[in-house]
């Protein structure tokens, strides 16, 4: 059984996912369009809380991207989903 992923490991995986997206214009352009960012603002946006979660959200929204990324790192796609959950934090309590 695999150990639970730490916050640091989740952040590292998300940074690798960002590098994966940025390595090919055909991967990066849809991400920029979805986020409203431009190439010039990407680096500063990467410092914002929640940005890395957005990277993993984008990756998890496309089976082909997710499988290609996970395959490149020899990871199970579930590890990416687990990293996304760690970055998202615990669900907020519902109060009616």
């Amino acid at each position: 059984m695999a150990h639970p992923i730490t916050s640091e490991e989740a952040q590292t995986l998300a940074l690798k996912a960002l590098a994966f997206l940025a390595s090919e214009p055909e991967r990066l352009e849809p991400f920029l369009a979805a986020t409203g960012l431009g190439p010039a603002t990407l680096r500063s946006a990467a410092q914002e809380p929640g940005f890395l979660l957005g990277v993993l959200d984008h990756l998890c929204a496309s089976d082909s991207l997710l499988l290609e990324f996970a395959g490149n790192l020899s990871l199970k796609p579930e590890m990416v989903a687990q990293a996304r959950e760690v970055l998202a934090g615990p669900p907020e309590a519902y109060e009616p």
Side-chain angles (χ1 to χ4, degrees):
M1 183 169 165
H3 75 287
I5 191 168
T6 67
S7 180
E8 185 176 315
E9 290 170 330
Q11 290 174 12
T12 299
L13 188 61
L15 288 170
K16 288 179 181 181
L18 179 59
F20 168 77
L21 293 174
S23 69
E24 296 287 336
E26 53 274 354
R27 288 187 203 131
L28 184 60
E29 289 169 7
F31 176 71
L32 293 178
T35 61
L37 297 171
T41 57
L42 188 60
R43 186 176 302 269
S44 62
Q47 306 302 315
E48 295 297 318
F51 177 79
L52 293 178
L53 174 60
V55 171
L56 294 183
D57 279 343
H58 180 77
L59 200 64
C60 289
S62 168
D63 286 344
S64 61
L65 272 180
L66 176 60
L67 293 174
E68 184 179 356
F69 173 69
N72 284 347
L73 295 179
S74 299
L75 293 174
K76 292 183 178 182
E78 294 82 11
M79 289 297 296
V80 179
Q82 186 181 7
R84 190 230 163 266
E85 288 178 19
V86 169
L87 292 180
E92 292 184 26
Y94 173 74
E95 294 183 30

